[in-house]
Amino acid sequence: MYSIGDLSRRTGVKIPTIRYYEQMGLIEAPERSEGNQRRYEKRELERLAFIRHARDLGLSIEAIRDLLALSEHPERPCGEADRIATEHLAAVREKIARLRKLEVELERIVACHGDHTIGDCYVIRALADHSMCESEH
Amino acid sequence: MYSIGDLSRRTGVKIPTIRYYEQMGLIEAPERSEGNQRRYEKRELERLAFIRHARDLGLSIEAIRDLLALSEHPERPCGEADRIATEHLAAVREKIARLRKLEVELERIVACHGDHTIGDCYVIRALADHSMCESEH
DNA sequence: CCTCATATCTATAGTCGCTGGAGTGTTTAG
DNA sequence: CTAAACACTCCAGCGACTATAGATATGAGG
Ligand SMILES: [Zn+2]
Ligand SMILES: [Zn+2]
Ligand SMILES: [Zn+2]
Ligand SMILES: [Zn+2]
């Protein structure tokens, strides 16, 4: 039997976040002590660790909810789980691509260094005028 | 004299967003028509284009507020503007680095494809156990 | 058993940067 | 003059937490 604090310490998930996950339906409402405090079993510790890891990998709450539901049925085919992970990977790649474009533009923009005034500042001028950029973003 | 709709069309910033920027102090409250509708000058069109471009480059509202304030003083040195841009570039690079790590892990995780069940699914097992990962994230 | 520090409870509001809707009033072209 | 298009304010919602406030519970030492 773990208290919410035990769970928090063991998984690194903050206490309000655990309660939030309960509200969001990722964790079932656990049993309560006589004084109405949450008491967890090992199952829920593992479930929370799963959630934590999936969040660290950037999966959305919704995706995690689906994955948890799938994991309750070990005999079913896993196409759906693979699809969720594959789609997430694609989303991560898109984000990287977008950020790389920003990186390129920002590098050009901050390349102006030295002693000068706001009036001459390339940063300010570049922000005022997208046509100075080399790509869309 | 532009209406809020003109401004929106010319900058690509949605009308509620323009009002939001006014609330956030990025744009001064403009003059109003007799019927209480916003009426903008060219100055504000340029200011909004600046904001839009800075947002497209990922700068925060707060950073943009500072940059706009700086741009009112063309005679001052531009160290602060350069600093804001440089810090933002660093933040973008950090995000990219983080996402690249996720990309690597996710690639490994989704590499399991084929005919199998949830019980054997590498996606599910990898999410349940961070020690199967090659890096921290 | 009592006290007290610590832990936990609920409910609510705030974060960021918008976005959308309801319900009402204004402007403009025909 | 009418009707369409436009704009107004206020408020709620997104996602994934995080942080308060004020009340109650738990557990260890005396
Ligand atoms: Zn400069
Ligand atoms: Zn640009
Ligand atoms: Zn699989
Ligand atoms: Zn991992």
Side-chain angles (χ1 to χ4, degrees):
Chain A
M1 285 298 218
Y2 306 100
S3 71
I4 197 167
D6 294 337
L7 223 64
S8 173
R9 271 181 297 277
R10 277 160 200 270
T11 59
V13 179
K14 290 187 183 159
I15 291 173
T17 306
I18 297 174
R19 291 196 277 248
Y20 170 74
Y21 289 159
E22 185 183 320
Q23 254 191 285
M24 292 302 102
L26 298 192
I27 302 170
E28 278 176 63
E31 287 176 46
R32 299 287 184 128
S33 71
E34 283 195 13
N36 197 37
Q37 299 190 356
R38 287 168 181 80
R39 292 292 177 262
Y40 296 95
E41 307 281 342
K42 205 179 170 198
R43 271 189 67 239
E44 287 145 306
L45 182 64
E46 283 158 12
R47 195 173 172 100
L48 187 55
F50 182 103
I51 294 167
R52 167 80 208 262
H53 194 210
R55 282 296 302 134
D56 284 348
L57 285 163
L59 286 150
S60 71
I61 297 284
E62 207 195 333
I64 296 172
R65 191 160 32 220
D66 292 349
L67 288 168
L68 285 166
L70 289 167
S71 73
E72 315 262 297
H73 303 285
E75 77 295 349
R76 295 201 192 161
C78 84
E80 180 69 0
D82 294 355
R83 191 189 57 74
I84 290 170
T86 305
E87 271 181 20
H88 180 56
L89 173 56
V92 167
R93 284 180 170 152
E94 256 190 57
K95 271 188 198 164
I96 292 172
R98 223 196 135 254
L99 287 169
R100 288 262 277 267
K101 278 193 190 171
L102 295 194
E103 188 189 16
V104 170
E105 290 304 337
L106 288 166
E107 271 167 0
R108 286 182 358 99
I109 288 174
V110 303
C112 115
H113 270 306
D115 233 6
H116 55 278
T117 62
I118 293 280
D120 308 326
C121 181
Y122 191 70
V123 172
I124 303 284
R125 282 189 295 139
L127 288 173
D129 184 6
H130 171 56
S131 71
M132 293 168 78
C133 286
E134 283 180 351
S135 69
E136 291 314 304
H137 41 109
Chain B
M1 286 300 216
Y2 307 100
S3 71
I4 199 169
D6 294 336
L7 224 64
S8 173
R9 270 183 297 278
R10 276 161 201 268
T11 60
V13 178
K14 290 187 182 163
I15 290 173
T17 306
I18 297 174
R19 291 197 276 247
Y20 170 75
Y21 289 159
E22 185 183 321
Q23 255 191 282
M24 293 301 101
L26 298 191
I27 301 171
E28 278 176 62
E31 288 177 44
R32 300 285 183 129
S33 72
E34 283 196 12
N36 197 38
Q37 298 191 357
R38 288 168 180 82
R39 291 293 177 262
Y40 297 95
E41 309 280 343
K42 204 179 171 197
R43 273 189 65 238
E44 288 146 304
L45 181 63
E46 284 159 12
R47 194 174 173 101
L48 186 55
F50 182 103
I51 295 167
R52 168 80 208 261
H53 193 210
R55 283 296 302 136
D56 284 349
L57 285 163
L59 286 149
S60 71
I61 297 283
E62 207 195 333
I64 296 171
R65 192 162 26 222
D66 292 349
L67 288 168
L68 285 166
L70 289 167
S71 72
E72 314 262 299
H73 303 285
E75 77 294 351
R76 294 201 193 159
C78 83
E80 180 68 1
D82 294 355
R83 191 190 56 73
I84 290 169
T86 305
E87 272 181 19
H88 180 54
L89 174 56
V92 167
R93 285 181 170 150
E94 257 189 55
K95 270 189 199 161
I96 292 172
R98 225 195 133 254
L99 287 169
R100 289 261 275 267
K101 278 194 190 169
L102 295 194
E103 188 188 14
V104 169
E105 290 305 336
L106 288 166
E107 272 167 359
R108 285 179 4 96
I109 288 173
V110 304
C112 116
H113 270 306
D115 234 3
H116 55 276
T117 63
I118 293 281
D120 307 327
C121 181
Y122 190 69
V123 171
I124 302 284
R125 281 188 295 139
L127 288 173
D129 185 5
H130 171 57
S131 72
M132 292 168 78
C133 286
E134 282 179 352
S135 69
E136 290 315 304
H137 40 106

